């Protein structure tokens, strides 16, 4: 079996990509590479790049392809990903990004693209109740709160609502998902790299489905 796993996760906003990637990264001991988290961190640092990315994000728009591709290329060429693999969260989101990634990873490529499938009304419910640690990005919700007020259980950071979890930005993000990202499901299916996972149910149930699918692809039986 080839060591390490090379995975990416697709799915609409609120499908649970970030929630599952944290678990996948721990399970397979691979870095979790989230373009959204990288841009939010740059925004908090107040760099010129971060502030520009934040303008796109807060409006629910995509950061331009050439910027995102450059950021991922730099990250994916680091030693940890080359040796152990990765799980990509939120990249690619356009056909141009998918093609760039395909070229970057040749000849081995990715093992699997995982599509987390969730009805839109469920995703909207999850987004409305989501709260996130500003520092380590751990997810909470109005039903699953930190133990002490809105202070992160992991790192003590402040837990807040994301700036793009406002009604108008959510609507725009979902429109863009349908127009630009959903076509990637067929793109990976045509290349025999796609698995679709039902994202209903609690996070542990979804995670069990996901690991079964990845291990099946890697030829691990259990
Ligand atoms: P990004 O940060 O990637 O956000 P997103 O795509 O909008 O996806 P979300 O993070 O909203 O959803 P998620 O699927 O991760 O759900 P989560 O696990 O949090 O991107 C943000 C922005 O950055 C973009 O809009 C764009 O501007 C820019 N950007 C990023 N990548 C880019 C790229 N490649 N190209 C161009 N621009 C890019 O779960 C949601 C909630 O549900 C949480 O509260 C969670 O606790 C809860 N939950 C999760 N799973 C379950 C479950 N099974 N049951 C119950 N509740 C659950
Ligand atoms: Mg996310």
């Amino acid at each position: 079996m080839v060591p390490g796993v090379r995975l990416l996760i697709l799915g609409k906003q609120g499908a649970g990509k970030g929630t599952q990637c944290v678990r996948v990264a721990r399970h397979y001991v691979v870095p979790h590479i989230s373009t959204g988290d990288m841009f939010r961190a740059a925004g908090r640092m107040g760099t010129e790049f971060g502030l520009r990315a934040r303008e796109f994000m807060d409006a629910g728009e995509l950061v331009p392809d050439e910027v995102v591709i450059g950021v991922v290329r730099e990250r994916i060429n680091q030693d940890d990903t080359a040796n152990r693999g990765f799980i990509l969260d939120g990249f690619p989101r356009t056909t141009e990004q998918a093609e760039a990634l395909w070229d970057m990873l040749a000849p081995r490529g990715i093992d699997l693209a995982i599509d987390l499938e969730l009805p839109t009304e469920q995703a909207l419910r999850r987004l409305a109740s989501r709260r996130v640690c500003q520092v380590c990005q751990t997810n909470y919700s109005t039903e699953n709160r930190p133990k002490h007020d809105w202070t992160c259980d992991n790192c003590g950071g402040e837990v807040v609502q994301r700036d793009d979890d406002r009604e108008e930005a959510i609507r725009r993000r979902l429109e863009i998902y349908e127009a630009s990202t959903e076509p990637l499901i067929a793109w990976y299916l045509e290349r025999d790299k796609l698995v679709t996972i039902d994202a209903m149910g609690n996070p542990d149930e979804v995670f069990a489905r996901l690991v079964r699918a990845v291990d099946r692809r890697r030829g691990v039986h259990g």
Side-chain angles (χ1 to χ4, degrees):
M1 192 170 58
V2 189
V5 284
R6 292 173 156 199
L7 305 171
L8 64 86
I9 195 152
L10 302 166
K12 63 170 69 89
Q13 288 65 23
K17 299 183 295 294
T19 304
Q20 292 304 322
C21 282
V22 170
R23 289 169 162 77
V24 168
R26 272 196 210 125
H27 184 82
Y28 292 108
V29 198
V30 291
H32 168 195
I33 302 178
S34 158
T35 40
D37 287 353
M38 287 159 96
F39 295 144
R40 274 185 289 278
R44 273 197 311 280
M45 278 161 63
T47 59
E48 198 187 324
F49 163 75
L51 295 178
R52 226 131 133 79
R54 192 147 81 185
E55 280 175 31
F56 288 104
M57 295 170 81
D58 287 356
E61 300 292 335
L62 291 183
V63 175
D65 280 338
E66 65 276 14
V67 176
V68 192
I69 290 168
V71 166
V72 171
R73 189 189 304 283
E74 205 170 284
R75 180 65 188 88
I76 227 151
N77 282 329
Q78 290 172 14
D79 288 348
D80 57 346
T81 50
N83 297 334
R84 289 192 275 125
F86 49 79
I87 172 121
L88 280 170
D89 167 6
F91 183 92
R93 272 183 215 239
T94 64
T95 308
E96 191 170 340
Q97 293 179 17
E99 283 167 352
L101 182 69
W102 195 266
D103 292 343
M104 261 181 242
L105 296 175
R108 176 176 159 192
I110 58 157
D111 298 328
L112 209 49
I114 298 153
D115 173 33
L116 278 186
E117 199 176 55
L118 191 72
T120 301
E121 77 271 13
Q122 287 290 334
L124 288 173
R125 206 166 302 153
R126 289 184 186 178
L127 290 176
S129 71
R130 173 168 60 188
R131 301 292 182 273
V132 181
C133 172
Q134 269 190 316
V135 178
C136 72
Q137 316 274 331
T138 296
N139 264 338
Y140 297 91
S141 68
T142 47
E143 291 91 48
N144 169 31
R145 296 169 177 232
K147 292 192 187 76
H148 304 289
D149 297 324
W150 289 103
T151 302
C152 179
D153 294 340
N154 259 355
C155 76
E158 193 187 355
V159 174
V160 298
Q161 187 161 32
R162 255 169 57 173
D163 288 335
D164 60 351
D165 278 348
R166 287 168 294 102
E167 203 182 321
E168 206 181 289
I170 290 175
R171 201 173 333 112
R172 183 67 190 134
R173 284 154 64 205
L174 286 167
E175 272 172 17
I176 294 179
Y177 173 78
E178 263 184 44
S180 303
T181 310
E182 210 170 44
L184 295 183
I185 295 172
W187 198 92
Y188 282 109
L189 186 62
E190 278 164 23
R191 288 158 181 80
D192 192 27
K193 292 289 183 188
L194 188 85
V195 65
T196 297
I197 301 287
D198 177 8
M200 288 290 281
N202 72 48
D204 291 339
E205 289 166 346
V206 178
F207 179 63
R209 284 176 210 139
L210 201 155
V211 167
R212 259 199 309 276
V214 172
D215 286 348
R216 203 174 304 131
R217 171 61 65 123
R218 300 170 76 223
V220 176
H221 303 286

